[in-house]
Amino acid sequence: MVEFEVPKVDYTRYSNRQLAAVPLGVLAVALLIIAGWFVMTGAPVTPGIAFTGGTELQIQTTDSPAQIEATFDTPVESIQPIRSSDNSYIVTFQASGEDTSAGAIEQQARDAGYTVQSSQSRSPSFGAETQRLALIGILIAFGGMSAIVFLLFRSFVPSIAVVLSAFSDIVIPIALMNIFGIKLSLGTVAALLMLIGYSVDSDLLLNNHILRRSGDFYESTYRAMRTGVTMTLTSLAAMTVMTITAFLFGIPLLPSIGIVLVFGLTADLMNTYMLNLSLLRWYKFEGVAR
């Protein structure tokens, strides 16, 4: 049986500024990417048809993706092959206005000799309402998490360390979504909400071991790391396997969810054991001692 041992990091070799510099630098770059994306596109991340409205067809044909794209009068947003089914594709059309007609698109597919296996359509107004509800959901989840953290610790520095780490865990995946062309969907919104839970879990574990348990600071840190790193790496492995499997079998949505979680969990390791830890060490040895 393979045993996994979390390595013991000698944090005494690094100052608090050195530890915090890397995660804060990555967070700053992520915010710049999101700001640049907003300036160029009008949105911090590109929304999918769930938030803009549009039509999605699942068709079966021996035509190539280029031939499929040339078949339709409506601009094709994306063509994704379904690897679990021969010659099957998911063709997405993003709505450009209220005139987008799913019936006309289906008819064009049938006229071209394609077998339409399924279709779904969302109006732009419904997509805008979904976008508003998703944003409210994220804000409520983040606000509720922040309130509970402040109630638990009733001290500014440990609380802001958890909140800042969770904020960075969400911002970095959103920036990477822009870089890798992953659109915002209901699935990726769910992944971002899950990241809040994962982030708070590992940060609270570290804070509790350091602030509420007796013992040396670095021994408490190592005990928290053994549990926290093992939990996060286990989740990372599970998400990586899920992403690869879903990609190979052409399962829609799951690869995007898995990739966002992999981005966020990787960022969480950095933010928890560098950013959060540096703030806690400052608070323990300098903030409280004053």
Side-chain angles (χ1 to χ4, degrees):
M1 182 177 177
V2 178
E3 291 187 6
F4 174 75
E5 184 69 24
V6 176
K8 199 169 187 176
V9 180
D10 184 7
Y11 281 106
T12 59
R13 295 174 56 191
Y14 308 100
S15 67
N16 290 329
R17 287 185 180 180
Q18 287 175 321
L19 285 175
V22 175
L24 287 178
V26 175
L27 175 60
V29 172
L31 287 172
L32 283 174
I33 292 171
I34 293 172
W37 202 264
F38 183 82
V39 170
M40 290 190 298
T41 67
V45 62
T46 305
I49 66 168
F51 300 115
T52 61
T55 300
E56 193 174 86
L57 294 185
Q58 183 173 327
I59 61 172
Q60 191 168 39
T61 176
T62 55
D63 283 358
S64 67
Q67 291 172 314
I68 295 172
E69 185 171 359
T71 299
F72 297 96
D73 297 333
T74 307
V76 176
E77 181 68 19
S78 66
I79 301 174
Q80 298 177 346
I82 302 174
R83 291 174 177 78
S84 57
S85 178
D86 291 338
N87 300 321
S88 291
Y89 299 87
I90 294 176
V91 188
T92 304
F93 306 84
Q94 202 148 30
S96 57
E98 297 287 350
D99 294 337
T100 300
S101 169
I105 293 172
E106 276 189 62
Q107 190 57 50
Q108 286 178 27
R110 291 194 175 92
D111 290 344
Y114 301 160
T115 302
V116 179
Q117 297 173 318
S118 65
S119 70
Q120 55 177 329
S121 183
R122 295 179 182 85
S123 68
S125 58
F126 181 77
E129 178 65 12
T130 305
Q131 189 172 8
R132 189 180 69 84
L133 292 175
L135 179 62
I136 291 173
I138 292 176
L139 290 177
I140 289 176
F142 197 84
M145 176 275 295
S146 303
I148 290 173
V149 168
F150 276 96
L151 284 174
L152 279 174
F153 293 103
R154 303 188 180 200
S155 183
F156 181 74
V157 175
S159 302
I160 203 67
V162 175
V163 173
L164 181 60
S165 182
F167 175 72
S168 183
D169 287 352
I170 294 175
V171 168
I172 291 171
I174 290 175
L176 290 172
M177 285 170 65
N178 290 330
I179 292 174
F180 289 98
I182 300 171
K183 293 182 179 178
L184 191 68
S185 64
L186 292 176
T188 51
V189 168
L192 294 174
L193 290 172
M194 281 190 276
L195 281 176
I196 295 176
Y198 277 119
S199 175
V200 171
D201 201 21
S202 56
D203 286 314
L204 290 184
L205 181 69
L206 181 66
N207 285 26
N208 273 325
H209 270 78
I210 290 177
L211 300 177
R212 294 185 171 176
R213 295 191 182 185
S214 59
D216 177 73
F217 178 88
Y218 296 105
E219 282 301 321
S220 298
T221 299
Y222 181 62
R223 285 199 299 271
M225 283 185 69
R226 278 192 308 188
T227 306
V229 171
T230 303
M231 286 166 42
T232 305
L233 289 181
T234 303
S235 300
L236 259 174
M239 290 305 116
T240 303
V241 170
M242 182 190 81
T243 303
I244 294 172
T245 304
F247 176 77
L248 291 176
F249 284 94
I251 302 171
L253 200 60
L254 281 184
S256 297
I257 296 174
I259 289 172
V260 171
L261 286 172
V262 168
F263 289 158
L265 289 170
T266 305
D268 184 54
L269 283 174
M270 175 186 68
N271 289 320
T272 301
Y273 302 109
M274 295 181 76
L275 179 59
N276 191 0
L277 181 72
S278 65
L279 290 172
L280 286 177
R281 189 169 65 175
W282 179 88
Y283 173 76
K284 187 94 174 179
F285 294 114
E286 298 180 48
V288 175
R290 286 181 178 176

